[in-house]
Amino acid sequence: MTSPESVNHKLKSVFITGTDTEVGKTVVTGLLGRFLSDKGYNVITQKWIQTGCKSFPEDIFSHLNFMKRKRSDIRNYLEYVCPYTFKLASSPHLASKLEKRKIRQGKIKNSFSILSKDFDSVLVEGIGGALVPFNNKKMVIDIAGQLHLPVLLVVSNQLGCINHTLLTIEAIRSRGLKLLGLVFNNHHGKEDIITKDNPKIIKTFTKVRIFGHLPWVKDSDGLYKAFNVIGGRILNELKMDVNDG
Ligand SMILES: Nc1ncnc2c1ncn2[C@@H]1O[C@H](COP(=O)(O)OP(=O)(O)OP(=O)(O)O)[C@@H](O)[C@H]1O
Ligand SMILES: [Mg+2]
């Protein structure tokens, strides 16, 4: 572990989206959070809107677990890590409509900007897949675009993911967002001719960077070990260029 004193510069923040809901965004966000913390960076995670929320936002709770942190460690930032929670596990536009509470992008951007001042990097976990609306006009990814967040895409490596991934990449690129690259999550450990070929054909069509492949491992320390190489590659991409200011 690098001592925090030896790291005195900011990293880019990142928006972590997925090819669908339940593909491993929370797992990758938590692992990346732990990795960057272990390297001496002061990082925090965010989930702008948590739907299906009973009390404390579940994904933030999982990120904290991966990062070996407690809720009290972020006590001063609780209102900013998850500005919106809703009961129904659905797209934010519907959950918000049912509870008659509008989702205001100003509130989300403000919470992000407060965290980005106090932390070296904010890891923002997306909601569902890339094109998820939070009202009748706007998608969550529009906010990521306004904040100039580069995107990390988690792909559930399974039959059907070529289409999901190519569509998602097209959606990200056509909106002018920078796509850092992909992490393939080995869905339920299935390895066959299809899952071996998926990354190759996706790379052929898009030339996108593939950071690596996450195995299906239930214990989080084992998963973290497997994530190390991926984390190192992502860290290099998050380092600021001189021109980033
Ligand atoms: N590599 C993995 N090894 C073992 N379990 C995994 C792995 N990736 C994901 N899972 C499990 O699969 C489930 C879905 O993963 P996760 O919660 O990270 O998805 P998500 O994309 O964040 O979903 P949501 O859209 O609800 O936020 C979780 O129970 C998680 O623990
Ligand atoms: Mg999640």
Side-chain angles (χ1 to χ4, degrees):
M1 178 171 158
T2 316
S3 75
E5 293 75 34
S6 63
V7 182
N8 58 5
H9 49 87
K10 284 221 166 209
L11 294 174
K12 290 173 200 160
S13 291
V14 59
F15 184 72
I16 297 149
T17 191
T19 45
D20 202 349
T21 185
E22 291 279 303
V23 294
K25 297 183 300 295
T26 297
V27 168
V28 169
T29 306
L31 291 170
L32 183 59
R34 178 168 168 193
F35 182 83
L36 297 177
S37 299
D38 282 355
K39 293 291 173 204
Y41 293 96
N42 184 23
V43 299
I44 194 158
T45 67
Q46 242 193 335
K47 179 95 180 178
W48 290 337
I49 307 158
Q50 178 92 63
T51 63
C53 185
K54 290 176 194 80
S55 53
F56 189 74
E58 289 81 359
D59 286 2
I60 296 289
F61 183 75
S62 297
H63 302 156
L64 289 171
N65 276 345
F66 273 108
M67 294 168 75
K68 313 260 181 220
R69 286 195 195 156
K70 295 187 295 294
R71 197 170 147 164
S72 56
D73 295 334
I74 56 162
R75 69 173 77 80
N76 296 335
Y77 300 98
L78 286 175
E79 62 179 300
Y80 308 118
V81 289
C82 187
Y84 288 102
T85 60
F86 296 99
K87 289 196 184 65
L88 184 72
S90 72
S91 166
H93 81 281
L94 180 61
S96 146
K97 194 167 140 189
L98 285 177
E99 290 189 30
K100 297 188 174 58
R101 271 194 297 134
K102 281 195 177 147
I103 296 170
R104 303 197 184 277
Q105 43 187 338
K107 182 171 173 179
I108 291 176
K109 288 197 271 186
N110 188 46
S111 66
F112 174 82
S113 111
I114 287 167
L115 296 182
S116 60
K117 278 195 195 92
D118 284 6
F119 291 85
D120 293 332
S121 176
V122 185
L123 312 180
V124 182
E125 179 183 336
I127 295 104
L131 297 192
V132 167
F134 63 90
N135 59 32
N136 287 342
K137 290 195 181 122
K138 291 271 179 188
M139 311 268 183
V140 176
I141 199 165
D142 296 329
I143 306 178
Q146 288 164 22
L147 293 170
H148 306 291
L149 289 173
V151 181
L152 178 64
L153 173 59
V154 180
V155 176
S156 178
N157 192 356
Q158 60 188 116
L159 183 63
C161 84
I162 300 172
N163 174 52
H164 286 154
T165 309
L166 297 184
L167 283 171
T168 306
I169 293 174
E170 225 173 84
I172 292 167
R173 286 182 172 164
S174 71
R175 280 167 176 74
L177 279 87
K178 182 179 162 63
L179 177 61
L180 294 176
L182 314 183
V183 174
F184 276 83
N185 195 7
N186 191 352
H187 186 75
H188 290 276
K190 193 168 179 194
E191 278 191 46
D192 58 16
I193 189 170
I194 294 171
T195 59
K196 282 200 183 100
D197 184 69
N198 282 337
K200 291 186 197 156
I201 190 69
I202 288 167
K203 174 107 188 165
T204 303
F205 270 86
T206 62
K207 310 281 179 277
V208 71
R209 171 105 196 253
I210 295 175
F211 289 116
H213 302 259
L214 200 57
W216 195 263
V217 179
K218 270 298 157 198
D219 123 80
S220 77
D221 288 334
L223 206 49
Y224 183 57
K225 237 183 193 167
F227 182 79
N228 241 269
V229 177
I230 302 175
R233 291 176 183 148
I234 298 174
L235 169 57
N236 280 334
E237 288 294 317
L238 296 182
K239 286 183 179 158
M240 297 271 198
D241 306 328
V242 219
N243 298 332
D244 288 331

